[in-house]
Amino acid sequence: MEKFGGKAIFKGVAIGKIVFGSKEKQQVRRTKITDTEAEKARYEAAKEEAVKQLQGLYEKALKEVGEDNAAIFEVHQMMLEDDDFNEGIIDKIENQQVNAEYAVAVTGDAMAEMFANMEDEYFKARSADIKDISERVISVLLGGGSLSRLSEPSIIVAEDLAPSETIQLDKDKLLAFVTELGSSNSHTAILARTMNLPALIGVKIDKAWNGKIGIVDGYKGIFIVDPDEETIETYKKIQKKDAEKRELLKSLKGKKTVSKSGKQIKLYANIGKPSDLASVIENDAEGIGLFRSEFLYLDSDDFPTEEEQFAAYKKVAETMGGKKVIIRTLDLGADKQVDYFNLGREDNPAMGYRAIRICLDRQDIFKTQLRALLRASAFGNIAIMYPMIISVDEVLQIKEIVEEVKKELREENVKFNEKIEQGIMIETPASVIMSYELAQLVDFFSIGTNDLTQYTLAIDRQNSKLDSINNPHHPAVLRSIKTVIENAHRAGIWAGICGELGADTALTQTFLDYGIDELSVSPSFVLPVRKAVCTAD
Ligand code: PEP
Ligand code: MG
């Protein structure tokens, strides 16, 4: 038994026969041709056939792994039409009088090398795509066929895998991937994740493993070759547990989140960036209850522009279709600092210049975000939520600014949802105490239990020394939640929880008893919480 380290790109365990996916590089010989016109026509015909194959793969992928992942085969079709690629090939056929296979190979290799040498990880990863398309055309020119089918469930071990090879493999017989090359940004890695296949990259592979039994440990990033019986048994137990968890999750997908006594709640997910959407969909969240928009700012070296923000919000809204997407305005400050804001040092940052306080002070920044949010509201079911509210006055100021921005957009003839819902986070004791008055002004409440616990108990949530007494189950916190829900209902609006406590299934029954309308949790908690609601009274 031998163990090899690698980088896990998808969690899970696979046990099975290793199939070495060594792709014999197609032998391309240079030959001198005399009829360059005929050779160019040969190339054009092969290219057309390759485009057809890619269209077939696109349609297959569309059915199996969805539009986003299928898009790579459209990109490959476009790459085949790329002027630089085609001109390079035609030029070699015409001026060097070489055969089409050779012209394609040389042009493809040069372009792949150029991409491989680029700094940007994304472009680097495109090098494999260039190799993939040139090999496809060469294969057509040489009269080659497609990849052979797997005869039994197998772990594919290869130096590298192209997306087109990955998608062609029989999904039912594919247990896992282990590759030496590749990046977590490559489309093969993306496909592996979408297909729920444990996968490792960066493993020093060996042809001699072919036919042996292997274990892929996608939790620890280990590949085991020739495992002993005891190791196999240990991993079978992990697989069994995983399967039980998956079964539980599967059976809850598509179900309503409704308690035994018939109370239905909205079960949403929290995200920080558009790329979290895959797991929102995978876990069947009914909407987004908290999009922490500040991550767009944290991810950037300068203020994200209106266009950048608009694109991100629009993408989330469109991906979620008609489902609710609640986007929280900038909540920077305290532990979330960015240099370009120059917020300066504060003695008490958690109680300092943060969130809505910054926005009301720096209205230029706030208005840019509001413009982006309102514009994106024309593309889906967006609601806006304001953090760290302590007073009626703040909400009145916000509403005035929103009206100004709406007026601007109307004058510019820019479409937006006139009736966009606006809610506030209840995460300060002041907002709990004022919740009845605040509820008259907004469309919903979302309780931020992380900060509400911090401010109610006067315990800095960043201070690990206070962990043992930082108790969100404290009666003062629970009683606050109850008060907020009651006041929301008295004023005819809904109330939810988007803090971590919403995912605490020990409290699901309590929240239902309080009359909670919505829970928004990390994507991986959606189905466990659904289970807790469905089994509660
Ligand atoms: C909260 O305070 O509970 C909350 C959801 O917001 P954040 O954790 O981003 O402060
Ligand atoms: Mg908060």
Side-chain angles (χ1 to χ4, degrees):
M1 176 167 95
E2 278 184 293
K3 286 187 184 180
F4 302 87
K7 182 174 173 201
I9 53 170
F10 191 78
K11 288 182 178 147
V13 166
I15 308 172
K17 195 176 121 183
I18 299 171
V19 170
F20 202 86
S22 110
K23 187 175 38 155
E24 290 306 328
K25 209 165 161 42
Q26 306 179 86
Q27 285 300 319
V28 176
R29 287 203 189 87
R30 177 186 175 133
T31 46
K32 186 118 185 113
I33 47 116
T34 43
D35 190 348
T36 53
E37 284 310 311
E39 201 59 14
K40 281 193 283 182
R42 234 186 110 231
Y43 165 66
E44 292 298 341
K47 188 179 83 179
E48 223 166 89
E49 171 58 24
V51 170
K52 248 193 242 159
Q53 287 181 3
L54 286 164
Q55 183 57 27
L57 286 173
Y58 172 76
E59 280 154 22
K60 184 175 189 293
L62 196 61
K63 273 193 232 125
E64 292 180 4
V65 289
E67 195 170 350
D68 277 359
N69 295 297
I72 183 60
F73 300 112
E74 266 188 332
V75 174
H76 279 197
Q77 288 180 55
M78 281 189 274
M79 280 172 143
L80 268 175
E81 303 293 351
D82 177 76
D83 284 348
D84 287 344
F85 183 68
N86 281 286
E87 279 161 18
I89 293 162
I90 298 297
D91 177 70
K92 284 179 189 71
I93 297 175
E94 270 175 357
N95 298 322
Q96 298 175 21
Q97 293 174 318
V98 291
N99 52 328
E101 295 83 330
Y102 182 79
V104 174
V106 173
T107 311
D109 283 352
M111 279 183 85
E113 201 183 321
M114 183 186 82
F115 275 104
N117 288 330
M118 286 186 177
E119 285 287 306
D120 187 297
E121 284 306 316
Y122 177 82
F123 285 115
K124 247 191 208 326
R126 301 290 73 79
S127 169
D129 294 324
I130 297 276
K131 280 192 203 148
D132 197 18
I133 59 161
S134 13
E135 273 168 27
R136 178 173 300 282
V137 178
I138 293 169
S139 167
V140 176
L141 285 164
L142 293 172
S146 61
L147 273 173
S148 56
R149 302 204 145 247
L150 295 169
S151 57
E152 60 183 294
S154 313
I155 295 172
I156 297 287
V157 175
E159 192 182 355
D160 202 1
L161 274 174
S164 56
E165 291 168 313
T166 315
I167 197 75
Q168 280 180 63
L169 293 164
D170 192 347
K171 230 171 109 187
D172 298 333
K173 305 223 173 73
L174 193 56
L175 298 174
F177 298 119
V178 176
T179 62
E180 187 158 332
L181 305 175
S183 67
S184 20
N185 223 356
S186 72
H187 282 100
T188 298
I190 296 166
L191 284 171
R193 285 190 208 112
T194 316
M195 290 157 120
N196 285 344
L197 290 173
L200 302 177
I201 55 174
V203 177
K204 185 94 196 85
I205 59 162
D206 185 346
K207 269 189 187 170
W209 298 342
N210 198 27
K212 292 185 176 173
I213 295 296
I215 298 178
V216 175
D217 179 344
Y219 291 104
K220 294 192 183 139
I222 298 173
F223 185 48
I224 305 171
V225 180
D226 238 348
D228 55 33
E229 272 312 308
E230 204 188 323
T231 309
I232 294 181
E233 280 317 306
T234 307
Y235 276 100
K236 277 191 175 161
K237 279 189 197 138
I238 300 176
Q239 276 188 318
K240 196 164 165 254
K241 273 201 191 141
D242 282 354
E244 282 165 8
K245 276 191 220 154
R246 266 201 307 277
E247 238 5 82
L248 161 78
L249 299 186
K250 250 203 239 156
S251 66
L252 288 167
K253 277 192 188 181
K255 293 243 165 85
K256 284 186 180 155
T257 311
V258 51
S259 74
K260 282 201 279 188
S261 50
K263 163 88 180 166
Q264 185 169 354
I265 66 146
K266 298 182 259 235
L267 182 53
Y268 294 164
N270 297 345
I271 61 166
K273 42 190 178 339
S275 56
D276 295 337
L277 285 170
S279 102
V280 170
I281 289 156
E282 169 65 23
N283 288 288
D284 197 33
E286 296 155 27
I288 308 283
L290 168 64
F291 177 1
R292 289 180 162 97
S293 70
E294 59 275 8
F295 283 97
L296 297 176
Y297 293 74
L298 289 165
D299 221 12
S300 175
D301 297 330
D302 205 347
F303 295 97
T305 62
E306 180 184 322
E307 283 316 309
E308 282 163 351
Q309 293 191 56
F310 167 68
Y313 305 146
K314 176 170 175 266
K315 176 163 190 206
V316 176
E318 283 181 338
T319 309
M320 292 305 290
K323 291 180 180 166
K324 175 80 74 206
V325 174
I326 302 176
I327 304 180
R328 172 173 77 184
T329 56
L330 181 63
D331 186 5
L332 278 179
D335 54 319
K336 290 175 255 174
Q337 295 283 341
V338 279
D339 290 346
Y340 59 86
F341 264 80
N342 286 321
L343 294 180
R345 223 196 74 79
E346 290 179 276
D347 284 341
N348 240 328
M351 293 203 217
Y353 188 64
R354 58 171 293 200
I356 201 67
R357 300 169 186 183
I358 301 179
C359 290
L360 290 176
D361 186 41
R362 298 283 311 268
Q363 292 191 13
D364 50 331
I365 298 172
F366 193 34
K367 280 188 177 169
T368 303
Q369 180 166 37
L370 289 172
R371 279 182 64 93
L373 285 167
L374 284 164
R375 283 174 56 200
S377 72
F379 298 88
N381 188 358
I382 287 182
I384 312 180
M385 175 158 80
Y386 308 102
M388 277 290 289
I389 296 296
I390 56 165
S391 69
V392 163
D393 185 52
E394 279 171 343
V395 179
L396 293 175
Q397 278 188 64
I398 293 168
K399 290 182 88 171
E400 213 177 297
I401 298 168
V402 171
E403 282 314 310
E404 279 171 34
V405 174
K406 281 186 174 177
K407 189 166 166 264
E408 253 174 50
L409 292 173
R410 263 181 231 119
E411 281 165 9
E412 291 167 27
N413 280 328
V414 176
K415 275 198 201 132
F416 64 92
N417 176 10
E418 286 278 0
K419 294 200 179 114
I420 190 162
E421 281 184 44
Q422 295 178 74
I424 56 170
M425 291 196 65
I426 299 288
E427 49 185 350
T428 60
S431 63
V432 173
I433 295 163
M434 298 303 294
S435 52
Y436 182 65
E437 286 78 1
L438 290 167
Q440 320 291 320
L441 300 173
V442 295
D443 299 306
F444 62 90
F445 282 162
S446 186
I447 307 172
T449 51
N450 310 334
D451 277 320
L452 185 59
T453 305
Q454 145 162 286
Y455 298 123
T456 304
L457 305 185
I459 290 177
D460 180 356
R461 69 194 255 197
Q462 300 293 111
N463 191 336
S464 55
K465 276 193 214 147
L466 304 174
D467 263 2
S468 60
I469 56 164
N470 191 351
N471 174 22
H473 288 217
H474 191 295
V477 177
L478 296 183
R479 210 174 284 176
S480 297
I481 295 173
K482 187 166 182 271
T483 304
V484 170
I485 298 169
E486 280 168 7
N487 282 335
H489 290 173
R490 274 172 66 207
I493 65 166
W494 63 263
I497 298 176
C498 64
E500 296 304 296
L501 202 62
D504 186 340
T505 50
L507 286 174
T508 308
Q509 179 72 61
T510 307
F511 296 148
L512 287 167
D513 292 344
Y514 291 169
I516 199 77
D517 303 295
E518 178 242 28
L519 290 170
S520 189
V521 299
S522 300
S524 57
F525 289 118
V526 167
L527 294 172
V529 171
R530 181 170 294 157
K531 183 178 177 232
V533 172
C534 294
T535 51
D537 263 330

